């Protein structure tokens, strides 16, 4: 066993001092001698049979000790972490202060110090009975029409139009890209929605106002291929313009798009759907405001070095370099703030989950995975396998547990609308309502960290 002591340097940083006796280290040193004996050739000795004294003559005992320490330092560190129930948030800074052979002490212990960031321990306030005020549920004629139009959009058809392209049109285009007057790529018959921003920067601006048969030239930064990151001159030729034509909202459409025979029956059902959607939005608002009220009651220190690591990883993992269009000081500040808020939320909700002794059932984890797979358009089994291979299942369990913790806070909160009416959130707090809210929140989170 290793001996260790912990010194709190700050609410989010500790110093861990570790000592390993020579008796504990000796088997590791012997294993290093054995490994080196397999690598060193000495006349008169078979491979693997070179005695330690000859290895010391060849490479020095200090070299052997150094290799034994380097090979086993992490395992000693992990053992000390387990003994002290510590989980580093950042890469530890290690300082080895003593090894066997130092100052002539052949059997001196191994000693090393490490410093790293940890999660702070927070003292929870009385979080039950929080007062939350939300907007009342209202369904306007505009909202009812919006739901109907969204359904009509699903049955829309594309028709050719003889006019300049506008935002929202579907167009057929041909592209030719050149770098330093050399053609590097071309494509014809591409289908694209003007204004979607899913292809090349500058393409939307080039297309708007063009008619079939016309072309435009613009410059853009290529995002893939052999010339990724280079500036290219792109010629776009507009081959056809099509707009989405919505079906008439009549009885025929009702029979096509639903189980109803008349448009009036369909509208009434859509009105009910719009009301349920508004109730879900009210529940999301209540949950967000409950969290806001909770955050006012607790101050959580945030390790700045951890934030810096996360921000750097965010940009480098996406292939950006500091100073490019995406990696700007303003965007870095925004991403850092998002990470800061997420960390504070996690610390508080994890503490509440501990206080409430909240567990995650297998069916809850499965429901979350099914919902997430649907949002990403993936097969649930493949999505679950991907999470498992990436080691993200514990992270998902933590997320589900924190959602349950916030739901527990919201369940005990006093929620009223701005008109003074008490709000019943039973619909929102049940699994079905929570699932709808999760889908909405996932989309928002993706946009925030983009």
């Amino acid at each position: 066993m290793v001996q260790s002591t912990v010194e709190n340097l700050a609410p989010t940083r500790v110093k861990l001092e570790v000592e390993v006796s020579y008796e504990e280290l000796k088997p590791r040193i012997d294993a290093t001698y054995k490994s080196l004996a397999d690598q060193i050739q000495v006349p008169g000795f078979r491979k693997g049979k070179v005695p330690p004294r000859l290895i010391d003559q060849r490479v020095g005992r200090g070299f052997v000790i150094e290799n034994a320490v380097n090979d086993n330092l992490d395992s000693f560190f992990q053992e000390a972490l387990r003994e002290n129930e510590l989980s580093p948030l950042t890469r530890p800074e290690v300082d080895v202060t003593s090894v066997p052979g130092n100052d002539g002490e052949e059997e001196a212990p191994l000693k090393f110090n490490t410093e790293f960031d940890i999660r702070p321990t927070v003292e929870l306030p009385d979080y039950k009975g929080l007062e939350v005020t939300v907007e009342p549920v209202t369904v306007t004629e505009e909202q009812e029409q919006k739901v109907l139009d969204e359904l009509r959009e699903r049955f829309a058809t594309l028709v050719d139009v003889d006019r300049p392209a506008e935002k929202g049109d579907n167009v057929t285009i041909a592209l030719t890209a050149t770098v330093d007057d050399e053609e590097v790529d071309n494509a014809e018959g591409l289908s694209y929605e003007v204004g979607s921003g899913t292809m090349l920067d500058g393409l939307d601006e080039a297309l708007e106002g063009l008619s079939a048969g016309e072309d435009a030239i613009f410059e853009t930064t290529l995002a893939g291929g052999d010339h990724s990151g280079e500036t290219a001159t792109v010629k776009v030729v507009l081959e056809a313009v099509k707009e989405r034509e919505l079906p008439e909202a009549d009885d025929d459409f009702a029979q096509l798009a639903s189980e109803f025979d008349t448009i009036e029956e369909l509208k009434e059902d859509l009105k009910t759907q719009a009301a349920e959607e508004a109730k879900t939005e009210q529940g999301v608002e209540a949950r967000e405001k409950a969290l806001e009220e909770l955050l006012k009651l607790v101050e959580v220190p945030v390790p700045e070095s951890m934030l810096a690591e996360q921000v750097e990883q965010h940009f480098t993992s996406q292939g950006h370099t500091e100073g490019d269009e995406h990696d700007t000081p303003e965007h870095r500040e925004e991403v850092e703030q998002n990470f800061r808020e997420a960390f504070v939320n996690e610390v508080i909700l994890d503490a509440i989950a501990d206080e409430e002794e909240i567990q995650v059932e297998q069916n809850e984890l499965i429901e979350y995975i099914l919902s997430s797979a649907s949002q990403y358009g993936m097969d649930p089994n493949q999505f679950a396998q991907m999470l498992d291979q990436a080691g993200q299942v514990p992270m998902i369990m933590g997320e589900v547990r924190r959602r349950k913790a916030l739901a527990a806070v919201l369940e005990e909160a006093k929620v009223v609308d701005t008109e003074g009416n008490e709000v019943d959130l039973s619909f929102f707090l049940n699994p079905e309502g929570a699932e709808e809210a999760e889908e909405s929140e996932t989309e928002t989170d993706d946009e925030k960290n983009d």
Side-chain angles (χ1 to χ4, degrees), residues 159-269:
V159 295
D160 289 313
V161 290
D162 185 16
R163 60 165 175 75
E166 301 173 356
K167 187 175 182 179
D169 286 339
N170 282 77
V171 296
T172 304
I173 58 176
L175 294 173
T176 303
T178 59
V179 175
D180 296 332
D181 296 326
E182 177 187 353
E183 183 176 315
V184 295
D185 200 4
N186 68 80
E188 297 180 355
L190 298 176
S191 180
Y192 180 71
E193 181 181 334
V194 180
S196 64
T198 57
M199 197 170 288
L200 293 171
D201 288 340
L203 179 60
D204 291 321
E205 293 79 2
L207 286 172
E208 286 193 53
L210 286 187
S211 297
E214 295 181 340
D215 61 67
I217 295 176
F218 63 98
E219 288 193 346
T220 191
T221 301
L222 299 179
D226 296 336
H227 296 271
S228 178
E230 296 184 29
T231 299
T233 300
V234 179
K235 178 180 179 181
V236 55
V237 178
L238 183 59
E239 298 174 347
V241 181
K242 298 183 179 184
E243 67 178 7
R244 300 175 68 84
E245 186 175 84
L246 303 184
E248 289 293 328
D250 53 21
D251 291 348
D252 289 337
F253 172 69
Q255 294 167 20
L256 171 68
S258 71
E259 71 273 23
F260 301 105
D261 294 326
T262 67
I263 189 62
E264 292 306 318
E265 291 175 317
L266 174 59
K267 285 182 177 180
E268 193 62 31
D269 182 69

Side-chain angles (χ1 to χ4, degrees), residues 111-176:
K111 295 181 181 180
F112 63 93
N113 303 324
T114 65
E115 290 187 19
F116 49 87
D117 289 321
I118 60 169
R119 276 194 169 203
T121 300
V122 296
E123 185 174 341
L124 289 173
D126 183 8
Y127 53 83
K128 297 186 178 181
L130 294 178
E131 296 184 0
V132 175
T133 303
V134 295
E135 292 297 322
V137 170
T138 57
V139 181
T140 64
E141 291 184 5
E142 289 77 12
Q143 288 173 307
E144 293 177 18
Q145 186 63 43
K146 177 176 175 288
V147 175
L148 177 60
D149 288 343
E150 287 175 351
L151 182 60
R152 292 170 66 201
E153 282 278 355
R154 291 169 53 187
F155 291 87
T157 56
L158 296 176
V159 295
D160 289 313
V161 290
D162 185 16
R163 60 165 175 75
E166 301 173 356
K167 187 175 182 179
D169 286 339
N170 282 77
V171 296
T172 304
I173 58 176
L175 294 173
T176 303

Side-chain angles (χ1 to χ4, degrees), residues 119 287 345-361 364-365 368 393-409 438:
R119 276 194 169 203
R287 186 159 66 182
N345 293 349
E346 285 187 11
V347 169
I348 294 176
L349 293 177
D350 282 343
I352 291 175
D354 291 341
E355 179 73 18
E356 298 288 336
E357 298 182 346
I358 291 174
Q359 303 294 326
V360 177
E361 304 295 335
E364 294 171 328
L365 182 63
Y368 185 91
V393 173
M395 181 191 73
I396 295 297
M397 291 186 68
E399 178 63 23
V400 175
R401 188 167 180 260
R402 284 187 284 273
R403 288 180 183 273
K404 291 182 67 177
L406 185 52
V409 173
E438 285 168 8

